[in-house]
Amino acid sequence: EKRGKEAIDSFGVLPNFKGVAVHDCLAAYGDEEYSGCTHALCGAHLDRELTGVIENTRQRWAVSMKNLFSDMYRKKLGIIAGGGTEADAGTVEAFSKRYDAITERGLSRNPLGKATGKRGRPAKGKVRCLVDRLIKFKDEAMRFLTDFRVPYSNNQAERSFRLSKAKMKIAGSFRSDDGGSNFFKIFSVIDTARKNGVSAFDVLSKIFS
């Protein structure tokens, strides 16, 4: 009914996953129970947040961070095109220093608010929260460069969900919870088979036999 740990656990994927999970920065993904996998932040999600900062506040550090992610991505593609499988330590270090310098500018541009006398901590604001996340999850944000197995974004997962959204737009909704659950179970099998180069028909036949 809502997004969060209960929903994540009910899917039965992340609690047992041992690979690299590429996702946005939803706090529930950082639960200790999901420490068996390696985490990476989706570059497309970060790019959209940075674009929002630029459009709403005109802060130049966000432009620099967008350019940095773009430069890292192009560098990775160039290395792959040349037959390489990883970025050398010098390249990673250079990008890492640029990253730190940009987040420092972000901090100075968005200082914490002064205490108001009210209970609780002063509100940070969306931009400062983004800067703090970029600092805290630096390794995860740069994972696509430091580990070439990791994609820049989770668009593959987003594309897999398009059929579901199309069905919801056409049919309006599922007639029951069971109907929706069954649809997703069946499509999950078909899509997983397709991504692994296996005949979906053969997989479904084996399930029923």
Side-chain angles (χ1 to χ4, degrees):
E1 294 181 358
K2 60 182 180 179
R3 193 180 182 192
K5 187 176 184 303
E6 185 177 349
I8 295 170
D9 288 344
S10 72
F11 298 150
V13 176
L14 202 55
N16 304 301
F17 187 57
K18 304 301 180 185
V20 180
V22 185
H23 51 71
D24 60 17
C25 218
L26 180 71
Y29 293 138
D31 192 279
E32 289 185 2
E33 291 186 25
Y34 310 140
S35 60
C37 69
T38 301
H39 295 269
L41 294 186
C42 170
H45 280 86
L46 292 175
D47 187 76
R48 285 198 290 270
E49 287 193 84
L50 291 166
T51 298
V53 172
I54 296 168
E55 293 178 347
N56 295 317
T57 69
R58 300 291 190 267
Q59 294 188 19
R60 298 296 302 172
W61 72 266
V63 177
S64 298
M65 186 61 80
K66 276 175 64 74
N67 291 338
L68 174 61
F69 280 120
S70 179
D71 290 345
M72 287 193 291
Y73 184 56
R74 284 199 297 267
K75 183 65 176 181
K76 177 180 179 178
L77 293 181
I79 294 172
I80 293 174
T85 57
E86 63 181 7
D88 63 79
T91 296
V92 174
E93 180 64 18
F95 281 124
S96 178
K97 288 181 177 179
R98 282 180 60 187
Y99 190 106
D100 290 341
I102 294 169
T103 51
E104 282 296 323
R105 287 165 51 197
L107 285 177
S108 64
R109 184 69 173 77
N110 299 276
L112 292 175
K114 297 181 179 179
T116 60
K118 297 181 180 179
R119 293 170 58 183
R121 292 176 295 180
K124 288 185 177 182
K126 292 183 177 180
V127 180
R128 176 56 188 256
C129 286
L130 173 59
V131 176
D132 287 347
R133 277 188 281 117
L134 287 169
I135 294 172
K136 181 178 180 180
F137 299 108
K138 175 184 175 181
D139 291 343
E140 289 82 355
M142 293 185 62
R143 185 93 56 200
F144 74 95
L145 178 69
T146 58
D147 184 347
F148 276 22
R149 297 172 302 169
V150 180
Y152 174 71
S153 72
N154 67 351
N155 281 346
Q156 183 182 39
E158 301 278 358
R159 287 194 297 271
S160 293
F161 199 66
R162 282 180 183 170
L163 175 62
S164 309
K165 297 299 291 184
K167 181 174 177 62
M168 291 168 66
K169 289 178 181 178
I170 295 170
S173 65
F174 292 97
R175 292 181 179 273
S176 67
D177 288 343
D178 287 343
S181 179
N182 290 337
F183 172 86
F184 288 117
K185 287 178 182 177
I186 295 168
F187 182 63
S188 179
V189 171
I190 294 172
D191 200 41
T192 301
R194 183 173 62 193
K195 288 177 179 176
N196 285 277
V198 179
S199 167
F201 181 81
D202 289 344
V203 172
L204 291 172
S205 297
K206 289 177 181 178
I207 289 174
F208 286 109
S209 62

